[in-house]
Each structure stands twice: as structure tokens, then as C-alpha cells.
Amino acid sequence: MNPYVPILAIGAIGFGFAVFSVAIAFITGPKRYNRAKADAYECGIEPSPSAAGGGRFPVKYFLTAMLFIVFDIEIVFLYPWAVTFDQLGLFGLVEMILFIATVFVAYTYVWRRGGLEWD
Amino acid sequence: MINSKGMVAQLLGQDPGWVIALKGLLIFIFCVVLTIMAVWGERRIVARMQMRLGPNRVGIFGIIQGLADGVKLALKEDLIPKTADKIVFIIAPIISATTCFMAFAVIPLTGEVSFFGHKTVMQLTDLPVGVLYVLAIASVGVYGIVLAGWSSGSTYPLLGGLRSSAQVISYEVAMALSLVAVFIYAGSMSTSDIVVAQDRWWYAVILFPSFAIYCISMVGETNRAPFDLAEAEGELVGGFHTEYSSLKFALFFLAEYINILAVSSLATTLFLGGYRAFPGLGFTETWLGGWFTLFWFFAKVLIFFFVFVWLRGTLPRLRYDQFMQFGWKTLIPVSLAWILIVSTLRVMSDQGAPQYLIFGFAFAVVLIYLVISNYSDNAKAKLATDYKNFTPENPEFPIPISNRTEQVIQIRDEAKK
């Protein structure tokens, strides 16, 4: 049998459980409407207008996401190398040192340009 | 008895449909019950650390406190703020709760057992890319957090969701890097093969730096104290789930605890020999094997869980910039350097290099480390003395020593001249 089928099975169980919980809460919970309750929570003061959608956030988070993609792809390249490491021998090691050195240049660049600073 | 690579995959390939369905259901129940117990256990342990008693009223020793909390949450009003994006708001907890269960599909819970007369292992499936699959599922789980924060239409959840996702992806890089050394030694990415490969030595012993990096980043990955900046109560109320109530909140809570159990299980599998007994005790698969292996697995996971609680009871929360700096500027370069060291040593011993060469290499590494640490210590000491002499307006409060302060010092010094 395809080894990915059981993953679908547990995924379906988890999904079913989650949907069931969300649905059952509609039935079991009370519904007492009140204008203040439907407001966004901001410690009791009037909520500031439009957080999401129109709300802005520091560009730093976007930068982190981009850096994550760069480094995550690097790691994905490391994995097949690591698994076949014993077959590749010295050749694989030299190749991977060159690869890591190249990535390290980019890493140093990001560091020196302040891409890793939070303040 | 499982003693060669690929055996588990073969064994699992013969599972009929009903075994898979039953195993899936059992793993699901295992996760949910363990979460309920974990919530109670955590509250009891933290209470003891703070000289309190903790919940001890519901059931014997308060053991069903977690269940009672769940029932209470189900009877609470399910609020959706009017600024929220309703569909995404409902989907986000479902994504979180679904993905956290899926990570358990590849974790080997026991060795070979007889499951209602059917020979199998308590592992749902065995993928050749098992660990990569766990990392991928963890990445999908981030969607739940970021969508929950965004769709709430409120300021605190938005900030909490962004913080949390930035934190999870940053520490995922370090976590994924720490696993490379394990793959080099095991020669496989399949979880069951990695357990088989640890029949003599646990990787926590021979690859200790990898283990340490994994342990640190798994705390960051699950948003737990001291890295629980996403829900820093003093700043962000509750983080990304501030607007959630009722069972939707419970789903996030469940997902958090199952994620803790999942990363602990992965650590057990990759570094502590999975379901195998502690070495040196004389336990073999033939004696007290079978279902008894579940006990060993369980014990190791619970040790990790205890450490999680222990950290929460002991350490204060980090500042966000220090936390991100630690991830990007310390963990990542250290794990890259460690990968290079391990792979070089491995090639040396594979190619039959003479002993003195291997020792020479290790010695050189230690020497380089000493030089670098000495250099950075000197730089830190210089910064500290600069900081001591830095009294322009005599600030009464401590100023964080960062590159910025250093720049300020330089500018001031030049202005003085």
C-alpha cells in the first residue's frame, strides 16, 4: 500500500475532530449578544480602527520570512547529501564545503547589512 | 525483532486497512489523553515549584482537571469579533489542530508487536523522507498561527501572530540544521531506520552538540517559556489567540501541547534511541520487548515534557531582539560549523586516515574555537569598558549593549575630540 495513505487517515481523523469541536461549540455555548463583546479586544478601550487588512506591521517580519526561505532551501539541499554521505566520500565533502562557503558569504552579507538586527 | 534498515517499511506495507484505521484512531486518542494529562501534570509540577498545591480537587489528585477545563470551554460562548474575517477565523484553529496530529504519523512508538494477532509496529507509516515530512508539517502548522493572528482584525493578535510565526520559522532553520549530522550517521531520513541505527550508541551521546541545538530550538519552535514571546502577557495579552474563545481556543491549546509532545517524540526518536531501552540495563527486544517498548518511549517523552515544564518554572522570558539574535547569530553558524566538523571527521575515519591526523584535526578545531571565543570575549570586554565610561547625560537606567550603543559611543567620542 502507498505509505502516504495512512497520513491521510490520521489527517482525516484530526480534521474531523477539529471540525466537530468547532461545530459543537456553536450548539453547546450560550449566545448573548452584546455590542461591546463583538468588538476587538484592546484592554477595555475603544479598539483602534482596522488592524488587519489596512493594518501595517514592521517590514522586519517580511525580511525574516525571506531569509527563512533562503536558508530553508539551503538545508533542503543538505539533506540528500547527508543521507548519501557515505557513498559520496571525499568528493561529497569538498563539494559541500564549497556550497556552505557560498551560502556563508550570503549569510555574512545579511549580517553586516543589519538584516539580522532587531531593535 | 527489528534489526535492519527497511524492515519496518516492509512490515508496515503489509498492514491491512483496518489495522491502519485502528492505529490512526489509537494514536489520536493517545495524543488527546496525553494532552489532558499533560495540562494537569504541568499545572501540578509548576505549582510544586512555586510552593503551591495546584489543581487537586477534580478526581483523584485532580487528575481529570484538563478534561473539566475542556468541558467548561465547550459551554462558553463562541465569540467572533465583528472586525474578523469570519471564514479564515474559523479555519485557522482547524489547520492548527489537524497538522499537529499528522506529525505523529511517522513516529515509531514501539518495536515489533502483535496487534490483535497481526504482526506490526506501532507506527502509522514509514516514509523514506520521514523527518523531512515532520518538518514540513510543522511549517504548515505556522499557517494556523499566522492566519489566526491576521483574521482576528485586532491589534494584539496581529502582532502576536507575526511574532510567533517569525519565531517559529527562525528556529526551524536551526532545528533543521541540527538534524543533518543525524542523517550523516544514520544514512537515512526514515525515523524507524534512525532508531535502528542507534542500536549501539545514542546520537545524543556521540552528536551532543546537535542534540543541544535541537533541544534549544525545539523550545523556540513550540513557543514555550522562556521563548514564549508570542503570548507575552505583559505586552500582547494572549498573542495570536486573544480573540478566540470556547472550543476554538481549546483547539489552539490542544495544538500547542501536541506540538510539544511531537517535538519531544522526534527528539526521542532521533537522539535517544526511540523505543529502545536505556543501554546497559540488559533489556533486549526478546526479553521485555514487544508492547513493553512503549514504556521506554513514553518515559523518554515524559522526561522531555518535564524539562519543558521545568524551564517554564525556572527561567524568565527573553527579550525579543535577544531571542532572534540568538537564533540567527549563534545557533545557525554553530550548527553549520558543527556539520562541517562532523562530516570531515566522518570522511577521515571512513577513508582510513591515521589516528594522529584525526586528533590533529580535532585539536585544530578546539584551537580555532579558543581563538574565536577569546576574540569575542575581548570585544565584549572592550564594549563593557566603553559602556562604563559612557555617561553623557548620566542615564539612571541601564542601556542595552548592542551595536547601536557602540555606534553612539563612537559618535560621542568623536564629538568630544
Side-chain angles (χ1 to χ4, degrees), chain A residues 85 89-93, chain B residues 342-353:
Chain A
F85 185 80
L90 192 61
F91 169 76
L93 178 67
Chain B
V342 162
S343 49
T344 312
L345 280 175
R346 177 95 177 169
V347 163
M348 275 178 155
S349 60
D350 276 1
Q351 306 271 327

Side-chain angles (χ1 to χ4, degrees), chain A residues 3 7 21 24-25 28 30 32 37-42 48 51-52 57 61 68 75 79 85-86 93 107 117-118, chain B residues 74-75 77 81-82 125 133 135 150 154-155 162 169 176 243 246-247 321 324 328-329 333 343 346-347 350 403:
Chain A
I7 291 177
S21 307
I24 200 86
T28 52
R32 299 189 197 95
K37 243 197 273 187
D39 270 345
Y41 179 75
E42 242 165 78
S48 50
F57 60 84
Y61 291 107
F68 165 70
I75 294 161
Y79 279 3
F85 185 80
D86 284 342
L93 178 67
Y107 176 76
E117 304 288 334
W118 287 79
Chain B
L75 297 174
E77 185 170 357
K82 62 171 185 264
T125 183
Y133 160 79
L135 290 174
W150 176 81
S154 174
T155 318
L162 285 169
I169 59 177
E243 294 293 350
S246 186
L247 280 181
D321 62 326
M324 292 300 272
W328 282 99
K329 292 186 176 175
S343 49
R346 177 95 177 169
V347 163
D350 276 1
N403 289 358

Side-chain angles (χ1 to χ4, degrees), chain B residues 5 31 51 65 83 89 119 121 128 136 156 183 226 228 249 258 263 279 297 307 322 340 377 379 412:
Chain B
K5 284 181 186 175
C31 289
M51 315 282 269
Q65 180 71 43
T83 44
F89 189 79
K119 240 185 184 186
V121 291
Y156 291 122
F183 301 150
D228 58 342
F249 171 76
I258 293 182
V263 290
F297 181 83
V307 172
Q322 288 173 337
L340 288 179
D377 280 357
R412 299 269 176 184

